[in-house]
Structures are given as C-alpha cells and as structure tokens.
Amino acid sequence: MHITPEALFEARRNFLKLGAGALVSSTAIAQLLADMPHDMNLTYTPDPNPLKLSPNTFEQITNYVNFYEFSTDKTAPVKLSQGMKTDPWNVGFFGELKTEQMLSVDALIAKFGLEERIYRFRCVEGWSMVVPWIGFPLSKLLDYLEPNANAKYVKFTTRHDPSLFPDQAKGLFASIPHPYVEGLRMDEARNPLAFIAVGMYGKRLLPQNGAPIRLVVPWKYGFKSIKSLDLIECVDKEPLNTWQAIDAKEYGFYANVNPAVDHPRWTQSKERLLGKLTKQATLPFNGYEKEVASLYAGMDLRKFF
Amino acid sequence: MKIFLVLLALLPLGVAYYKLDSAIDPIKMLYTTTGIGAISLLLLSLLPSTCKRVCHFNFLRYRKTIGLLSFLYVLLHVSVFIVLDSEFDYITIFEKSLKKPFIYVGVIAFIILLFMTLTSFKKLFAKYSKYHKAVYLALALALLHSFWAQKVAGVFEYNVVAIGLVLLGERIWAWKTLHVKTF
C-alpha cells in the first residue's frame, strides 16, 4: 500500500493549485503563493556539532515553554498560540544605523541564508535543553544594518498586538509589562554565537517557540532570548530589559549563565535537563566560556549578574 | 468512607507516577503535584469546622485523616527536595539553600506540620492540641513558599488565598458572635 506523507500531499496539492491558478490570472498565483504553508522544510547548512550535543526531542522543545504573552503556564501557550498569524511579518530596524527600514522575515532569510546551530539553552528557573535552531548570526544582520558610532547597545522588542497575544489585552492584569524588551551590548550582539532563529528541527518555528523570528543568546539565561521580534534598534544607552524592570534584585541586564552566582531564591549550580530525573552541573557561560568570557574581562560578575 | 477519602486523595500520586516516564520536566512535575496536593488538603482540613458551624453538617471525624494526608504530601515534597533536587548534597542544602527565604519558609511550615502529625494521636493530642492553631501559620507560610516558587504567581495561588480568606473571615465572624454573647 502506498501512502503519501502529509507534507508531500500538501506540497502536491499546492503545486496543482498553482497550476490551476496560472490558467486564471497572475494575481491568483500571488494569492496562492502567499497562502502556501510555511511549515515546509527549510534549506540550511547543518551544524557539524563538534560538542556532540544531543538535542532534546521536538515534542519536548515545543511543549515546554515560557511565553507570558500567552500564559505563565508552561504548556498552555501551545494551544493558545496555534491560531497566531505569523505571516506576513515585518521587522523594523531603527535607531543609530545607516538606513532605517522594515524587512519581512522571508526577505531576511533570502538575504542572509540559513544555518543550523545546536545550542544549549538554560532557563533562569533551573531547567535546560538542547535545541537545533535554524537561522542566521546576528552579526550578519548588524553588518548589513551598519550601526553608527553612537550605537552602543542593541534593543529588541516583542510585537505588541493584543489580537495575537491574549496577555497583552489584559491591561493592568497582565502577567508582565508589555511589550517585552531585551538588550545586548554591541560587542555581545556581534559575538559569533548570538543568533537570530526562524526555525528549529528543519522547520519554521512553531508559534509557542517565538515564531516567526526570535533571538537566541546561548550563554545567557533563556529570558534574554526574546521571542516574536517586532523591532531591533541600535541605541546609545543600556536598554531596561523587562525582567530587570520587574525585579532588579533578581534579574539583571547581563544574565550570563553562572553556577557561582545564585538566584536569590534558588541555587544555579545545577540544572534539570528536560526529560531527565537526575540533575547535571551548570557550566560557566552555559558551556561557552571559551567563546564569550573575554567580553566580560575585568567585570565583577556578582555585581553585573 | 474513610478508605474512599484516602484513595481519592492518593489518586494524584498515582497519576504522577504513571506520567513520570513521559514527563518533560519530571522533578518539577513531582514538586508541583506534591506541593499543590499538600496545600489543597491543608486548606480542605480547615473545612469541617466551618461546615459544622455554617451548614450544621458534622464531618469533623475526617479532619485528622485529611490533615495526615496533607502531611504525606508534604513529606513527599520534602523528599523530592532532598533526594531528586539536591541529590543528598547536604553541604549545598545547609550552606546555600537553607539561607534562602524561599526555602526556610517552606521548612518552617514543614516543621509545624511535622509537630502536628506527631502530636495528633490520643495522649499527645490531649496535651498539645491547643498548639494546633499553628496550622494557620503553616498554611500562610506554605502559600508564601508557593508564591515564590515561580517567577510570577498563577491561578492556583490566588484561588487558595481567596478560599483561605473566606474560611478565615467566617472564623473571625464566628469568634466575634461567640464573644458578644459571653458579655
């Protein structure tokens, strides 16, 4: 018995529709192209994975998330986000850079190409995972944007659209202040590890993982890796990131993974790798010490936590 | 009836055991199951006396069972902390964890409930039952601990606070009416 896999079946249907559309008009084709599903496989350069990290399963990564724009629960955002429209999606680039502009996610992919990065991900709450992200280095984007001499920091903002994110519609009763803001120092942003992800496990990001485009900073606690980006701005002052604004005693600007500096409520020396009943040691800079420690030479990491 | 009550209260533990293999964050899942179980049963143990006063339905005979079941959950919760989360690393437990308000607030609640459990049997109960009012302190501390367990508090915590306030309000009201009568 021959069964067509779902993806192929969908692809064939779309191909047939396109053919039919071509007979009618070119606007119909444009419409059909826009309706093409985006979970089609991405083309990318695989990560040779020199650290031999074994990624968590797709099921684990897509069913255990912090996405307060939907809910503070770990699994609730999965259902709540399924109707989220992530295409078309434009990201705005503003501030201290050569040309302020808006670009679609598809245009960014076309411009910078895609590669895979298998990274450790450590949440400030004490759990961790390994994720095979797909995207492009933030440095490629910055090279293209050409920040000027005043650009000392990069500020990231999540889209503010209460029709997409139910928590943003709650006003005073929202779980956190919206929109979510994060930031990096320019040299951190230019580090080759800092990454913009549009996919994971060969596919476009699912809504609950921050579709359609998000930041990934593997040596920092997960809350720095802001989701569903709306704005990327080059600025001269250190942006006040959301968790620091909520509680500066518990969350700082830098948020580098550091087993020696405890969270005021729990230790950070070990972590729970998703799917495991035993714990593992947390590594300085989440295991990326060699690549990023020099960024913080001479800084008191207890003060700048 | 008591057997039925016990089986019902133990059901979440059975579910947790069944789900352990496929749990994405198993240690956290065990913390949540045992923590929510302990607080829910503790809150439930305050209900019989309210019920007796308000709806004249007496099921005070189940109060001890509910309390002991709550302590079973507490004991499992503490075991998760020592065995799975700290992996018997007593140096970290004593030198780091116990210094954090989040942890020691939970430990104080545990000690109160341990004391209540040990003095809940015949002879000792006669002597120490007056100190069992400390259950209110234990519940408040457990609740604070639960608020601190996450980055921001969720629906469960606010519900417990709301129900707790209603039960407390009724007690104050009952105490006041009693007081007015004696004068």
Side-chain angles (χ1 to χ4, degrees):
Chain A
M1 191 152 155
H2 182 81
I3 299 170
T4 312
E6 191 188 0
L8 275 181
F9 178 76
E10 285 294 328
R12 196 162 64 194
R13 278 176 60 123
N14 282 309
F15 181 72
L16 290 172
K17 274 202 239 167
L18 272 178
L23 293 172
V24 189
S25 75
S26 56
T27 47
I29 298 180
Q31 187 54 47
L32 284 164
L33 275 173
D35 289 346
M36 289 266 279
H38 255 152
D39 61 353
M40 306 268 280
N41 291 345
L42 296 166
T43 316
Y44 58 93
T45 317
D47 186 339
N49 195 9
L51 296 171
K52 300 265 182 294
L53 297 171
S54 45
N56 280 88
T57 64
F58 183 77
E59 195 258 337
Q60 288 168 335
I61 300 168
T62 54
N63 284 288
Y64 199 77
V65 300
N66 276 323
F67 206 162
Y68 287 16
E69 279 74 1
F70 290 104
S71 162
T72 57
D73 189 83
K74 291 281 187 296
T75 45
V78 179
K79 274 202 178 134
L80 288 171
S81 67
Q82 288 320 302
M84 181 182 169
K85 198 165 162 28
T86 56
D87 176 60
W89 188 285
N90 290 316
V91 184
F93 304 97
F94 298 102
E96 306 288 345
L97 43 82
K98 197 174 175 197
T99 318
E100 295 191 323
Q101 57 192 296
M102 306 272 288
L103 285 170
S104 73
V105 172
D106 289 344
L108 291 166
I109 293 173
K111 217 177 257 306
F112 305 119
L114 292 176
E115 58 188 275
E116 182 188 38
R117 293 285 179 93
I118 301 174
Y119 278 157
R120 293 187 191 90
F121 182 100
R122 168 65 153 83
C123 178
V124 74
E125 296 164 346
W127 55 272
S128 69
M129 57 183 175
V130 174
V131 187
W133 301 109
I134 293 167
F136 49 86
L138 178 56
S139 61
K140 271 195 186 177
L141 174 66
L142 291 171
D143 286 345
Y144 164 77
L145 293 172
E146 296 184 52
N148 63 36
N150 293 328
K152 301 283 189 287
Y153 294 88
V154 185
K155 180 183 174 188
F156 304 86
T157 310
T158 294
R159 176 151 301 179
H160 191 270
D161 181 350
S163 74
L164 294 182
F165 302 119
D167 200 68
Q168 292 180 344
K170 288 185 185 162
L172 273 177
F173 298 101
S175 62
I176 53 167
H178 294 292
Y180 194 82
V181 170
E182 260 308 335
L184 293 172
R185 223 169 51 195
M186 187 54 78
D187 58 341
E188 297 180 311
R190 287 221 182 254
N191 185 279
L193 291 181
F195 199 61
I196 297 286
V198 297
M200 192 255 297
Y201 261 114
K203 293 183 174 192
R204 297 258 181 177
L205 289 173
L206 293 187
Q208 66 266 33
N209 290 113
I213 184 164
R214 66 173 292 171
L215 179 69
V216 178
V217 195
W219 70 93
K220 291 175 181 283
Y221 290 119
F223 68 84
K224 294 294 290 184
S225 295
I226 180 170
K227 296 185 170 109
S228 303
L229 284 168
D230 188 43
L231 287 175
I232 296 181
E233 294 162 278
C234 293
V235 293
D236 60 345
K237 289 197 178 64
E238 186 182 289
L240 179 62
N241 53 323
T242 299
W243 279 105
Q244 194 187 4
I246 293 172
D247 193 342
K249 284 195 205 81
E250 299 199 340
Y251 310 100
F253 174 76
Y254 285 94
N256 291 319
V257 175
N258 191 341
V261 177
D262 283 356
H263 186 278
R265 286 182 270 156
W266 49 80
T267 85
Q268 296 288 29
S269 57
K270 286 182 172 182
E271 62 198 36
R272 313 186 300 272
L273 181 62
L274 293 187
K276 290 267 158 56
L277 198 53
T278 50
K279 301 199 26 173
Q280 65 180 30
T282 289
L283 305 169
F285 299 104
N286 206 20
Y288 302 100
E289 193 173 13
K290 202 170 67 201
E291 292 90 341
V292 300
S294 60
L295 293 169
Y296 311 101
M299 275 176 71
D300 180 358
L301 295 178
R302 287 189 176 276
K303 197 173 162 219
F304 298 98
F305 56 85
Chain B
M1 189 60 195
K2 251 182 202 167
I3 287 289
F4 179 71
L5 186 75
V6 171
L7 288 178
L8 193 69
L10 294 181
L11 198 64
L13 289 179
V15 175
Y17 180 77
Y18 176 74
K19 286 199 307 197
L20 195 57
D21 249 7
S22 59
I24 296 179
D25 193 349
I27 299 178
K28 172 84 177 184
M29 189 269 277
L30 292 174
Y31 263 141
T32 310
T33 306
T34 53
I36 288 183
I39 289 181
S40 306
L41 285 163
L42 202 57
L43 200 62
L44 218 57
S45 76
L46 300 180
L47 215 55
S49 75
T50 316
C51 244
K52 192 173 166 237
R53 282 190 300 271
V54 177
C55 42
H56 308 289
F57 178 67
N58 189 344
F59 59 102
L60 274 173
R61 62 190 175 284
Y62 298 124
R63 187 165 66 174
K64 187 169 109 180
T65 313
I66 301 171
L68 289 176
L69 281 166
S70 172
F71 185 71
L72 172 70
Y73 274 85
V74 170
L75 205 59
L76 290 169
H77 193 74
V78 173
S79 310
V80 173
F81 173 64
I82 295 173
V83 179
L84 296 174
D85 201 359
S86 310
E87 300 181 320
F88 298 108
D89 179 1
Y90 292 109
I91 296 167
T92 306
I93 291 177
F94 284 101
E95 289 189 354
K96 292 176 101 179
S97 300
L98 281 182
K99 286 182 183 154
K100 297 182 193 303
F102 168 55
I103 305 292
Y104 69 65
V105 157
V107 171
I108 296 169
F110 167 69
I111 292 169
I112 293 172
L113 295 173
L114 174 68
F115 162 78
M116 286 180 65
T117 302
L118 294 177
T119 59
S120 66
F121 300 95
K122 282 183 182 113
K123 270 187 188 165
L124 287 170
F125 186 73
K127 201 173 163 192
Y128 292 103
S129 63
K130 55 178 179 286
Y131 300 114
H132 281 211
K133 292 256 183 293
V135 69
Y136 300 110
L137 180 62
L139 181 62
L141 292 174
L143 208 56
L144 184 61
H145 176 75
S146 160
F147 265 96
W148 280 341
Q150 41 248 307
K151 290 218 290 275
V152 292
V155 182
F156 172 74
E157 285 76 22
Y158 289 114
N159 277 325
V160 176
V161 171
I163 298 169
L165 284 177
V166 170
L167 293 180
L168 185 71
E170 188 278 328
R171 276 162 166 74
I172 293 172
W173 188 72
W175 181 82
K176 262 190 167 169
T177 17
L178 198 74
H179 230 65
V180 170
K181 269 178 196 161
T182 40
F183 280 99

